[in-house]
Structures are given as C-alpha cells and as structure tokens.
Amino acid sequence: MNELKRQHPAAIFINSAKGLFQLAVPFAIVAFFQNILWIFFIAFGALLVLSTLFSWLVWLKFKYRLEEGELYVEQGIFVKKKRYIQRKRIQAINISAGLLQRLFGLVKVNIDTAGGGMEAEAELVAVTRTEANRIRSELLKDPAVDKSSSETEGGEFSASDVLEESEVVLEAEPNSTWYLGKKRLIYTALTSSGIGLVISAVVAVLSQGIQFIPDSLFAETYDFVIGLSILLLTLTVFVVLLISWLISSLITIITYGNFKVEMYNKEMVIDRGLIERRQLTLAYKRITAVRMIRSILRQPFGFVSIYVESAGGGNNKEQGSTLLVPLIHERDVQAFLEQTMPEYAFAREIESAPKRAAIRFFIRMLIVPIVLTLTAIFIWGTIGLLGLLIVFICGLLAWFQYRDAGSGTNESFMWLRYRTIGQTLVISPKKKIQSATRYVSILQRRKQLSSFEFYVQSSMAGKSFSVRDISRHTSDDIYNWYSHEKTIDKKNNIKE
C-alpha cells in the first residue's frame, strides 16, 4: 500500500496568497476612498499571519494516496474527512498551472467525477508535473487492462510498475495534433461574445463602487454628464463599448493562447492558456454529445465553434461543457472530426420544420415587441416608431429560427438543429442518450407539429437539448427510433 503523501510545501503560499487576495482587495478599495490606508496596512499584516497559519494547517492535514486504482483523500482541521474516489467514477482530470504554480514549477490537478456537480471532486493545488502525470495515468487507466496485466504477472502491481507505465504514457507521441494557430486565435478574439460579460462586470463594479465616491465629486460628475450633448454621449458610449471589446479580445487571447488538441488511442488532451496553462484529459468513451455553434458574428464568415459534453469534463466558464475547438471553418469540420472523433464524421441530413410551423416562430418572437412598440407610439408618438427597428430585428431572428429548426437520425446517432440567437447543431450517439421526450401542445396538435427534447449526462449532472415545432411525423419517427416501441401509428397518431 502506498504511503500517504502531502502536497508540495508551496501549497501553503499558494493557498495563503489566494485567500489574502480575495479578502484584501475589497478592504483596500474601501480604505483608499475613506482615506484610512494605515488601518488597512495593520489589518493586512494581521491577515497575512492568520492566512499563512491557516494555510499551513490545511496543508498539514491534507494527505492523499493512490490505492489499488482509487484516490484516497484525508483532510480537515476541525472535522477530519476521509474519502475514497473510485477510478470508475472519475470522468476527467484537469491539469493546470496558474501564475503561482508556475512560479514554483508546479501544477494543479482537478479531479471530476460523475455527479460531482460544477466543483471538482478533489483538488491538489501544488504537485510536481511528474506526480500529476502519474495520478492521471493511474486513475484513467482502463481497469480491464489493469486487471489483465496484474493477472498475467501473477501478482499485484507495485508503485514502480505504476511509475513505469506512467512514463510509457508520457513518452508516447500523440497520434495527431490539432493547433488553433495565431491567425484563428485573433479571429476568435475579435468575434468573441465575451463583451457582454465585460460590460456586465464594469457595471457591477461601478454600481458597488459608486457608494464610495465623495458627494462633491459625484455632484460635479453628474452635472458634467448632464451638460454633455447627445453627440458627445453617443461618442462616450462608443468608447466604452470599444474598450470593453478590446478587453474581451485580450481575455480571449490569454485564455485560448497556445491552444492545441492531442489525440491518443483512447483519449484526447486539450492544452491551452498563455498565463494559466490548462490541460484537460478527456476519454473518448465518456463523450456524450458534440455541439457545433455558429454565433451570429461568426456565421457570416463560415466559422464554427465545437463543444463536447462529457460527465465531469466541463467547467463553470463554459456552462458545464468543454470547448474542443474555439474556431474552425465549416469546410474543415469534416476533416477535423475524422481526425479526432471519426465516429461523428458522417453526413447529416436535416429534416427541417414544415412551412406550416413558420407562423408559430413569428408569433413567439414578435408579439411582445409589437405590443411594446404600439404602447410606446401611444405614449411618445413619433419617437415610439423607433420600436419598429426592434420589431424588424425580431422578425429577422424568427425567420432564421424557423429556417434552422430541424432534426435527423441514422442507425446510431441523433442530431437536432435549432437557434436562439446563434445556431446550434447537437449530435449524440443513441447509447449515450439518457432520455428522450416528445411534446405536443394543443396549438401544435392542430397543425400536426411537435417539440422534441433529449437529455445526456454532463458535468452539471445532465444537460438537455430541444427543438420546437418540427413535423409531428418527424418527431414520431425519432421517438420510435429511440424508444423501441412500435405502438405508433404514423398516420393516425399514438395508439392507446
């Protein structure tokens, strides 16, 4: 049995710095505006001592070991927790290196499990790269192969055997590698939709910080803004948007710089990041769905982003999914799939929504803008006519939603295509679909329409995808394809 191990002592500094930063920044802002910086520095010194002491206790009590294919973790200062993480529950192992880890030449390891939610089941904040690779190789090793190997040698595998096997994995060259490249990275940054998040963050900071602005400065600023002309206000808004766009682009470049995907026999390794290096190992057999996103900014240029759904492989920033390709041209998608996931590289015929469904897309998108525009015209007269621009945009979006709605199946896969603002095409193998549901409302029944939804396992304990107002006949076919039930009469609806 392996001995219990502690993380690298640098974990004390890393945990202390993280906690100190989260506490010190809000206090520093308040102290600066209230002109009580001397109190802040005294409090900072006390926080530094307490944070270091607490981090040392956390490091001292945190121990782990690999034990017959399981990860055993023991931690807790006041309440001691002991936990076994079985290898069969582990869905993904994420190795990353932030600024603090890189300062010591170390990495961080996040271990995600099925049903573990958005947070990692276990996290080692500071271990050597060799130790991280050993953990990954051991925990992602195929149990069947492991058992076979042990039986062949006539005994249990030793630590040296594990290390030797890990080294074999590390030395093995990937079957192929896909690079994002600098040109596509710049396109990704310039067409990123992260500008909305940046603006939201700026607004949130301003809303929290406005209470610390002295009344005299606030009054002068308010009078200055009120005195500006419409043209100058418009220019100010443009400058704010431009700065937010540049910040968003810079964040995208830092996040996805040096992006590459290495393909091995049973897994792929996604490597990315300029400042914080992230390395995610994803087993092919754990992928439950592939999504291709055509955002409204990228679609006119023919670019696509590809995400994969995998239990335990996603993160909060990507809404529980894993970004496999930030940007690729449509003409290259087929070749990429053949290179990475050949089982997904097939022709996908789409059965589009019928013409009789179009009116429902337009009603759904236009009824609220039309009511609001008529109200605005009634209250403000001519100025309210500006609402017609919103009605036009919503009408255009309704047309694209109708045109993109569709679905299809073959012997082993189901795919749905739909649009909210950007277009989504999601493909999932039949054996990975957890459940499928067909909805028929009273209004849909009159026009022989239906909505269809299926559910797959993901890091957020599951994710569903749906398409509205496809043909009832198409929906019945998909439902029958999945359910194995043969009680559906395609001509006369469902039999009791």
Side-chain angles (χ1 to χ4, degrees), residues 201-232:
V202 171
V203 171
V205 170
L206 290 178
S207 63
Q208 294 297 317
I210 198 169
Q211 57 184 313
F212 302 115
I213 299 176
D215 293 341
S216 57
L217 179 60
F218 183 85
E220 291 175 5
T221 305
Y222 180 80
D223 293 338
F224 173 75
V225 172
I226 292 299
L228 294 176
S229 64
I230 295 294
L231 179 61
L232 206 52

PDB file of all heavy atoms in Angstrom, residues 201-232:
ATOM      1  N   ALA A 201     -19.514  43.196 -15.957  1.00  0.00           N
ATOM      2  CA  ALA A 201     -18.559  43.319 -14.862  1.00  0.00           C
ATOM      3  C   ALA A 201     -18.278  44.786 -14.551  1.00  0.00           C
ATOM      4  O   ALA A 201     -18.214  45.184 -13.382  1.00  0.00           O
ATOM      5  CB  ALA A 201     -17.259  42.592 -15.224  1.00  0.00           C
ATOM      6  N   VAL A 202     -18.119  45.597 -15.612  1.00  0.00           N
ATOM      7  CA  VAL A 202     -17.862  47.029 -15.404  1.00  0.00           C
ATOM      8  C   VAL A 202     -19.040  47.684 -14.689  1.00  0.00           C
ATOM      9  O   VAL A 202     -18.863  48.459 -13.737  1.00  0.00           O
ATOM     10  CB  VAL A 202     -17.611  47.723 -16.757  1.00  0.00           C
ATOM     11  CG1 VAL A 202     -17.570  49.245 -16.588  1.00  0.00           C
ATOM     12  CG2 VAL A 202     -16.302  47.233 -17.352  1.00  0.00           C
ATOM     13  N   VAL A 203     -20.270  47.347 -15.128  1.00  0.00           N
ATOM     14  CA  VAL A 203     -21.455  47.913 -14.499  1.00  0.00           C
ATOM     15  C   VAL A 203     -21.548  47.478 -13.036  1.00  0.00           C
ATOM     16  O   VAL A 203     -21.877  48.278 -12.153  1.00  0.00           O
ATOM     17  CB  VAL A 203     -22.727  47.494 -15.271  1.00  0.00           C
ATOM     18  CG1 VAL A 203     -23.988  47.886 -14.501  1.00  0.00           C
ATOM     19  CG2 VAL A 203     -22.740  48.127 -16.645  1.00  0.00           C
ATOM     20  N   ALA A 204     -21.232  46.196 -12.765  1.00  0.00           N
ATOM     21  CA  ALA A 204     -21.292  45.692 -11.384  1.00  0.00           C
ATOM     22  C   ALA A 204     -20.289  46.407 -10.492  1.00  0.00           C
ATOM     23  O   ALA A 204     -20.601  46.788  -9.361  1.00  0.00           O
ATOM     24  CB  ALA A 204     -21.041  44.182 -11.370  1.00  0.00           C
ATOM     25  N   VAL A 205     -19.066  46.607 -11.004  1.00  0.00           N
ATOM     26  CA  VAL A 205     -18.046  47.307 -10.217  1.00  0.00           C
ATOM     27  C   VAL A 205     -18.463  48.751  -9.958  1.00  0.00           C
ATOM     28  O   VAL A 205     -18.335  49.268  -8.845  1.00  0.00           O
ATOM     29  CB  VAL A 205     -16.685  47.260 -10.960  1.00  0.00           C
ATOM     30  CG1 VAL A 205     -15.680  48.180 -10.284  1.00  0.00           C
ATOM     31  CG2 VAL A 205     -16.161  45.836 -10.990  1.00  0.00           C
ATOM     32  N   LEU A 206     -18.995  49.405 -11.003  1.00  0.00           N
ATOM     33  CA  LEU A 206     -19.414  50.800 -10.833  1.00  0.00           C
ATOM     34  C   LEU A 206     -20.562  50.906  -9.834  1.00  0.00           C
ATOM     35  O   LEU A 206     -20.597  51.824  -9.012  1.00  0.00           O
ATOM     36  CB  LEU A 206     -19.842  51.375 -12.191  1.00  0.00           C
ATOM     37  CG  LEU A 206     -18.707  51.602 -13.200  1.00  0.00           C
ATOM     38  CD1 LEU A 206     -19.274  52.118 -14.509  1.00  0.00           C
ATOM     39  CD2 LEU A 206     -17.691  52.596 -12.647  1.00  0.00           C
ATOM     40  N   SER A 207     -21.515  49.956  -9.918  1.00  0.00           N
ATOM     41  CA  SER A 207     -22.661  50.016  -9.010  1.00  0.00           C
ATOM     42  C   SER A 207     -22.237  49.803  -7.558  1.00  0.00           C
ATOM     43  O   SER A 207     -22.828  50.355  -6.640  1.00  0.00           O
ATOM     44  CB  SER A 207     -23.702  48.966  -9.408  1.00  0.00           C
ATOM     45  OG  SER A 207     -23.155  47.663  -9.278  1.00  0.00           O
ATOM     46  N   GLN A 208     -21.192  48.982  -7.352  1.00  0.00           N
ATOM     47  CA  GLN A 208     -20.703  48.759  -5.987  1.00  0.00           C
ATOM     48  C   GLN A 208     -19.778  49.882  -5.522  1.00  0.00           C
ATOM     49  O   GLN A 208     -19.744  50.227  -4.343  1.00  0.00           O
ATOM     50  CB  GLN A 208     -19.938  47.425  -5.914  1.00  0.00           C
ATOM     51  CG  GLN A 208     -20.813  46.206  -6.138  1.00  0.00           C
ATOM     52  CD  GLN A 208     -21.885  46.074  -5.071  1.00  0.00           C
ATOM     53  OE1 GLN A 208     -21.621  46.256  -3.884  1.00  0.00           O
ATOM     54  NE2 GLN A 208     -23.107  45.753  -5.495  1.00  0.00           N
ATOM     55  N   GLY A 209     -19.040  50.474  -6.481  1.00  0.00           N
ATOM     56  CA  GLY A 209     -18.069  51.483  -6.107  1.00  0.00           C
ATOM     57  C   GLY A 209     -18.644  52.881  -5.992  1.00  0.00           C
ATOM     58  O   GLY A 209     -18.026  53.757  -5.377  1.00  0.00           O
ATOM     59  N   ILE A 210     -19.844  53.103  -6.542  1.00  0.00           N
ATOM     60  CA  ILE A 210     -20.408  54.447  -6.554  1.00  0.00           C
ATOM     61  C   ILE A 210     -20.687  54.960  -5.142  1.00  0.00           C
ATOM     62  O   ILE A 210     -20.656  56.159  -4.887  1.00  0.00           O
ATOM     63  CB  ILE A 210     -21.698  54.455  -7.426  1.00  0.00           C
ATOM     64  CG1 ILE A 210     -22.045  55.890  -7.805  1.00  0.00           C
ATOM     65  CG2 ILE A 210     -22.837  53.764  -6.717  1.00  0.00           C
ATOM     66  CD1 ILE A 210     -23.134  55.960  -8.862  1.00  0.00           C
ATOM     67  N   GLN A 211     -20.932  54.036  -4.199  1.00  0.00           N
ATOM     68  CA  GLN A 211     -21.223  54.464  -2.832  1.00  0.00           C
ATOM     69  C   GLN A 211     -20.001  55.027  -2.122  1.00  0.00           C
ATOM     70  O   GLN A 211     -20.124  55.718  -1.105  1.00  0.00           O
ATOM     71  CB  GLN A 211     -21.768  53.280  -2.033  1.00  0.00           C
ATOM     72  CG  GLN A 211     -20.832  52.082  -2.003  1.00  0.00           C
ATOM     73  CD  GLN A 211     -21.433  50.897  -1.288  1.00  0.00           C
ATOM     74  OE1 GLN A 211     -21.972  51.047  -0.200  1.00  0.00           O
ATOM     75  NE2 GLN A 211     -21.352  49.717  -1.911  1.00  0.00           N
ATOM     76  N   PHE A 212     -18.786  54.746  -2.656  1.00  0.00           N
ATOM     77  CA  PHE A 212     -17.571  55.255  -2.027  1.00  0.00           C
ATOM     78  C   PHE A 212     -17.119  56.595  -2.628  1.00  0.00           C
ATOM     79  O   PHE A 212     -16.140  57.177  -2.176  1.00  0.00           O
ATOM     80  CB  PHE A 212     -16.442  54.226  -2.178  1.00  0.00           C
ATOM     81  CG  PHE A 212     -16.784  52.887  -1.581  1.00  0.00           C
ATOM     82  CD1 PHE A 212     -16.916  51.763  -2.388  1.00  0.00           C
ATOM     83  CD2 PHE A 212     -17.003  52.768  -0.212  1.00  0.00           C
ATOM     84  CE1 PHE A 212     -17.237  50.539  -1.836  1.00  0.00           C
ATOM     85  CE2 PHE A 212     -17.329  51.535   0.334  1.00  0.00           C
ATOM     86  CZ  PHE A 212     -17.450  50.419  -0.480  1.00  0.00           C
ATOM     87  N   ILE A 213     -17.794  57.067  -3.676  1.00  0.00           N
ATOM     88  CA  ILE A 213     -17.413  58.338  -4.289  1.00  0.00           C
ATOM     89  C   ILE A 213     -17.917  59.483  -3.412  1.00  0.00           C
ATOM     90  O   ILE A 213     -19.096  59.509  -3.046  1.00  0.00           O
ATOM     91  CB  ILE A 213     -18.014  58.452  -5.711  1.00  0.00           C
ATOM     92  CG1 ILE A 213     -17.469  57.315  -6.594  1.00  0.00           C
ATOM     93  CG2 ILE A 213     -17.692  59.799  -6.330  1.00  0.00           C
ATOM     94  CD1 ILE A 213     -18.076  57.279  -7.972  1.00  0.00           C
ATOM     95  N   PRO A 214     -17.038  60.438  -3.059  1.00  0.00           N
ATOM     96  CA  PRO A 214     -17.476  61.577  -2.237  1.00  0.00           C
ATOM     97  C   PRO A 214     -18.624  62.332  -2.905  1.00  0.00           C
ATOM     98  O   PRO A 214     -18.702  62.428  -4.138  1.00  0.00           O
ATOM     99  CB  PRO A 214     -16.203  62.432  -2.154  1.00  0.00           C
ATOM    100  CG  PRO A 214     -15.079  61.480  -2.398  1.00  0.00           C
ATOM    101  CD  PRO A 214     -15.602  60.458  -3.346  1.00  0.00           C
ATOM    102  N   ASP A 215     -19.521  62.889  -2.079  1.00  0.00           N
ATOM    103  CA  ASP A 215     -20.710  63.566  -2.602  1.00  0.00           C
ATOM    104  C   ASP A 215     -20.356  64.719  -3.534  1.00  0.00           C
ATOM    105  O   ASP A 215     -21.011  64.930  -4.561  1.00  0.00           O
ATOM    106  CB  ASP A 215     -21.557  64.072  -1.434  1.00  0.00           C
ATOM    107  CG  ASP A 215     -22.158  62.935  -0.630  1.00  0.00           C
ATOM    108  OD1 ASP A 215     -22.225  61.809  -1.165  1.00  0.00           O
ATOM    109  OD2 ASP A 215     -22.531  63.159   0.535  1.00  0.00           O
ATOM    110  N   SER A 216     -19.299  65.477  -3.187  1.00  0.00           N
ATOM    111  CA  SER A 216     -18.935  66.638  -4.015  1.00  0.00           C
ATOM    112  C   SER A 216     -18.493  66.193  -5.407  1.00  0.00           C
ATOM    113  O   SER A 216     -18.911  66.761  -6.426  1.00  0.00           O
ATOM    114  CB  SER A 216     -17.810  67.423  -3.341  1.00  0.00           C
ATOM    115  OG  SER A 216     -16.689  66.577  -3.108  1.00  0.00           O
ATOM    116  N   LEU A 217     -17.640  65.118  -5.452  1.00  0.00           N
ATOM    117  CA  LEU A 217     -17.170  64.607  -6.748  1.00  0.00           C
ATOM    118  C   LEU A 217     -18.330  64.024  -7.540  1.00  0.00           C
ATOM    119  O   LEU A 217     -18.429  64.215  -8.765  1.00  0.00           O
ATOM    120  CB  LEU A 217     -16.084  63.545  -6.524  1.00  0.00           C
ATOM    121  CG  LEU A 217     -15.508  62.898  -7.786  1.00  0.00           C
ATOM    122  CD1 LEU A 217     -14.869  63.949  -8.686  1.00  0.00           C
ATOM    123  CD2 LEU A 217     -14.483  61.815  -7.424  1.00  0.00           C
ATOM    124  N   PHE A 218     -19.253  63.360  -6.859  1.00  0.00           N
ATOM    125  CA  PHE A 218     -20.404  62.769  -7.546  1.00  0.00           C
ATOM    126  C   PHE A 218     -21.277  63.865  -8.172  1.00  0.00           C
ATOM    127  O   PHE A 218     -21.719  63.749  -9.321  1.00  0.00           O
ATOM    128  CB  PHE A 218     -21.222  61.943  -6.548  1.00  0.00           C
ATOM    129  CG  PHE A 218     -22.393  61.240  -7.162  1.00  0.00           C
ATOM    130  CD1 PHE A 218     -22.252  59.998  -7.761  1.00  0.00           C
ATOM    131  CD2 PHE A 218     -23.659  61.821  -7.171  1.00  0.00           C
ATOM    132  CE1 PHE A 218     -23.326  59.347  -8.337  1.00  0.00           C
ATOM    133  CE2 PHE A 218     -24.740  61.184  -7.745  1.00  0.00           C
ATOM    134  CZ  PHE A 218     -24.567  59.936  -8.321  1.00  0.00           C
ATOM    135  N   ALA A 219     -21.498  64.969  -7.403  1.00  0.00           N
ATOM    136  CA  ALA A 219     -22.342  66.055  -7.909  1.00  0.00           C
ATOM    137  C   ALA A 219     -21.697  66.718  -9.124  1.00  0.00           C
ATOM    138  O   ALA A 219     -22.371  67.013 -10.122  1.00  0.00           O
ATOM    139  CB  ALA A 219     -22.582  67.079  -6.798  1.00  0.00           C
ATOM    140  N   GLU A 220     -20.365  66.938  -9.064  1.00  0.00           N
ATOM    141  CA  GLU A 220     -19.673  67.564 -10.194  1.00  0.00           C
ATOM    142  C   GLU A 220     -19.738  66.671 -11.432  1.00  0.00           C
ATOM    143  O   GLU A 220     -19.960  67.145 -12.549  1.00  0.00           O
ATOM    144  CB  GLU A 220     -18.203  67.827  -9.814  1.00  0.00           C
ATOM    145  CG  GLU A 220     -18.038  68.915  -8.757  1.00  0.00           C
ATOM    146  CD  GLU A 220     -16.589  69.042  -8.323  1.00  0.00           C
ATOM    147  OE1 GLU A 220     -15.739  68.354  -8.927  1.00  0.00           O
ATOM    148  OE2 GLU A 220     -16.320  69.828  -7.392  1.00  0.00           O
ATOM    149  N   THR A 221     -19.540  65.366 -11.237  1.00  0.00           N
ATOM    150  CA  THR A 221     -19.592  64.433 -12.365  1.00  0.00           C
ATOM    151  C   THR A 221     -20.988  64.379 -12.959  1.00  0.00           C
ATOM    152  O   THR A 221     -21.163  64.363 -14.189  1.00  0.00           O
ATOM    153  CB  THR A 221     -19.166  63.018 -11.897  1.00  0.00           C
ATOM    154  OG1 THR A 221     -17.898  63.104 -11.283  1.00  0.00           O
ATOM    155  CG2 THR A 221     -19.095  62.062 -13.065  1.00  0.00           C
ATOM    156  N   TYR A 222     -21.994  64.378 -12.094  1.00  0.00           N
ATOM    157  CA  TYR A 222     -23.384  64.320 -12.579  1.00  0.00           C
ATOM    158  C   TYR A 222     -23.712  65.554 -13.421  1.00  0.00           C
ATOM    159  O   TYR A 222     -24.287  65.450 -14.509  1.00  0.00           O
ATOM    160  CB  TYR A 222     -24.318  64.225 -11.374  1.00  0.00           C
ATOM    161  CG  TYR A 222     -25.780  64.166 -11.739  1.00  0.00           C
ATOM    162  CD1 TYR A 222     -26.359  62.973 -12.168  1.00  0.00           C
ATOM    163  CD2 TYR A 222     -26.576  65.319 -11.664  1.00  0.00           C
ATOM    164  CE1 TYR A 222     -27.701  62.916 -12.509  1.00  0.00           C
ATOM    165  CE2 TYR A 222     -27.916  65.272 -12.014  1.00  0.00           C
ATOM    166  CZ  TYR A 222     -28.477  64.070 -12.430  1.00  0.00           C
ATOM    167  OH  TYR A 222     -29.804  64.031 -12.773  1.00  0.00           O
ATOM    168  N   ASP A 223     -23.303  66.731 -12.910  1.00  0.00           N
ATOM    169  CA  ASP A 223     -23.560  67.964 -13.670  1.00  0.00           C
ATOM    170  C   ASP A 223     -22.825  67.952 -15.000  1.00  0.00           C
ATOM    171  O   ASP A 223     -23.357  68.413 -16.026  1.00  0.00           O
ATOM    172  CB  ASP A 223     -23.115  69.185 -12.849  1.00  0.00           C
ATOM    173  CG  ASP A 223     -23.983  69.366 -11.613  1.00  0.00           C
ATOM    174  OD1 ASP A 223     -25.126  68.852 -11.618  1.00  0.00           O
ATOM    175  OD2 ASP A 223     -23.512  69.996 -10.650  1.00  0.00           O
ATOM    176  N   PHE A 224     -21.594  67.395 -15.004  1.00  0.00           N
ATOM    177  CA  PHE A 224     -20.817  67.336 -16.241  1.00  0.00           C
ATOM    178  C   PHE A 224     -21.511  66.442 -17.283  1.00  0.00           C
ATOM    179  O   PHE A 224     -21.626  66.809 -18.459  1.00  0.00           O
ATOM    180  CB  PHE A 224     -19.418  66.803 -15.931  1.00  0.00           C
ATOM    181  CG  PHE A 224     -18.585  66.541 -17.152  1.00  0.00           C
ATOM    182  CD1 PHE A 224     -18.024  67.584 -17.874  1.00  0.00           C
ATOM    183  CD2 PHE A 224     -18.365  65.237 -17.592  1.00  0.00           C
ATOM    184  CE1 PHE A 224     -17.258  67.345 -19.015  1.00  0.00           C
ATOM    185  CE2 PHE A 224     -17.604  64.983 -18.727  1.00  0.00           C
ATOM    186  CZ  PHE A 224     -17.054  66.049 -19.428  1.00  0.00           C
ATOM    187  N   VAL A 225     -22.007  65.289 -16.830  1.00  0.00           N
ATOM    188  CA  VAL A 225     -22.668  64.353 -17.750  1.00  0.00           C
ATOM    189  C   VAL A 225     -23.956  64.956 -18.301  1.00  0.00           C
ATOM    190  O   VAL A 225     -24.251  64.864 -19.501  1.00  0.00           O
ATOM    191  CB  VAL A 225     -22.953  63.013 -17.035  1.00  0.00           C
ATOM    192  CG1 VAL A 225     -23.809  62.101 -17.915  1.00  0.00           C
ATOM    193  CG2 VAL A 225     -21.661  62.320 -16.674  1.00  0.00           C
ATOM    194  N   ILE A 226     -24.724  65.635 -17.406  1.00  0.00           N
ATOM    195  CA  ILE A 226     -25.971  66.237 -17.855  1.00  0.00           C
ATOM    196  C   ILE A 226     -25.710  67.335 -18.886  1.00  0.00           C
ATOM    197  O   ILE A 226     -26.495  67.550 -19.822  1.00  0.00           O
ATOM    198  CB  ILE A 226     -26.739  66.825 -16.639  1.00  0.00           C
ATOM    199  CG1 ILE A 226     -27.216  65.685 -15.742  1.00  0.00           C
ATOM    200  CG2 ILE A 226     -27.930  67.654 -17.086  1.00  0.00           C
ATOM    201  CD1 ILE A 226     -28.170  64.714 -16.395  1.00  0.00           C
ATOM    202  N   GLY A 227     -24.564  67.996 -18.765  1.00  0.00           N
ATOM    203  CA  GLY A 227     -24.254  69.095 -19.674  1.00  0.00           C
ATOM    204  C   GLY A 227     -23.740  68.646 -21.035  1.00  0.00           C
ATOM    205  O   GLY A 227     -23.610  69.467 -21.949  1.00  0.00           O
ATOM    206  N   LEU A 228     -23.444  67.377 -21.198  1.00  0.00           N
ATOM    207  CA  LEU A 228     -22.938  66.884 -22.473  1.00  0.00           C
ATOM    208  C   LEU A 228     -24.037  66.853 -23.532  1.00  0.00           C
ATOM    209  O   LEU A 228     -25.217  66.671 -23.225  1.00  0.00           O
ATOM    210  CB  LEU A 228     -22.360  65.473 -22.308  1.00  0.00           C
ATOM    211  CG  LEU A 228     -21.105  65.334 -21.444  1.00  0.00           C
ATOM    212  CD1 LEU A 228     -20.732  63.878 -21.313  1.00  0.00           C
ATOM    213  CD2 LEU A 228     -19.950  66.130 -22.030  1.00  0.00           C
ATOM    214  N   SER A 229     -23.645  67.004 -24.765  1.00  0.00           N
ATOM    215  CA  SER A 229     -24.610  66.919 -25.859  1.00  0.00           C
ATOM    216  C   SER A 229     -24.886  65.451 -26.190  1.00  0.00           C
ATOM    217  O   SER A 229     -24.174  64.546 -25.760  1.00  0.00           O
ATOM    218  CB  SER A 229     -24.040  67.623 -27.089  1.00  0.00           C
ATOM    219  OG  SER A 229     -22.886  66.931 -27.527  1.00  0.00           O
ATOM    220  N   ILE A 230     -25.956  65.223 -26.965  1.00  0.00           N
ATOM    221  CA  ILE A 230     -26.298  63.859 -27.389  1.00  0.00           C
ATOM    222  C   ILE A 230     -25.146  63.235 -28.157  1.00  0.00           C
ATOM    223  O   ILE A 230     -24.815  62.061 -27.975  1.00  0.00           O
ATOM    224  CB  ILE A 230     -27.572  63.897 -28.261  1.00  0.00           C
ATOM    225  CG1 ILE A 230     -28.770  64.359 -27.436  1.00  0.00           C
ATOM    226  CG2 ILE A 230     -27.831  62.509 -28.847  1.00  0.00           C
ATOM    227  CD1 ILE A 230     -29.167  63.406 -26.334  1.00  0.00           C
ATOM    228  N   LEU A 231     -24.501  64.034 -29.003  1.00  0.00           N
ATOM    229  CA  LEU A 231     -23.395  63.520 -29.810  1.00  0.00           C
ATOM    230  C   LEU A 231     -22.239  63.057 -28.920  1.00  0.00           C
ATOM    231  O   LEU A 231     -21.658  61.993 -29.138  1.00  0.00           O
ATOM    232  CB  LEU A 231     -22.915  64.605 -30.774  1.00  0.00           C
ATOM    233  CG  LEU A 231     -21.738  64.208 -31.685  1.00  0.00           C
ATOM    234  CD1 LEU A 231     -22.139  63.025 -32.575  1.00  0.00           C
ATOM    235  CD2 LEU A 231     -21.290  65.387 -32.522  1.00  0.00           C
ATOM    236  N   LEU A 232     -21.945  63.861 -27.897  1.00  0.00           N
ATOM    237  CA  LEU A 232     -20.846  63.503 -27.009  1.00  0.00           C
ATOM    238  C   LEU A 232     -21.182  62.273 -26.169  1.00  0.00           C
ATOM    239  O   LEU A 232     -20.321  61.413 -25.924  1.00  0.00           O
ATOM    240  CB  LEU A 232     -20.523  64.691 -26.095  1.00  0.00           C
ATOM    241  CG  LEU A 232     -19.079  64.741 -25.559  1.00  0.00           C
ATOM    242  CD1 LEU A 232     -18.077  64.627 -26.697  1.00  0.00           C
ATOM    243  CD2 LEU A 232     -18.848  66.011 -24.758  1.00  0.00           C
TER     244      LEU A 232
END
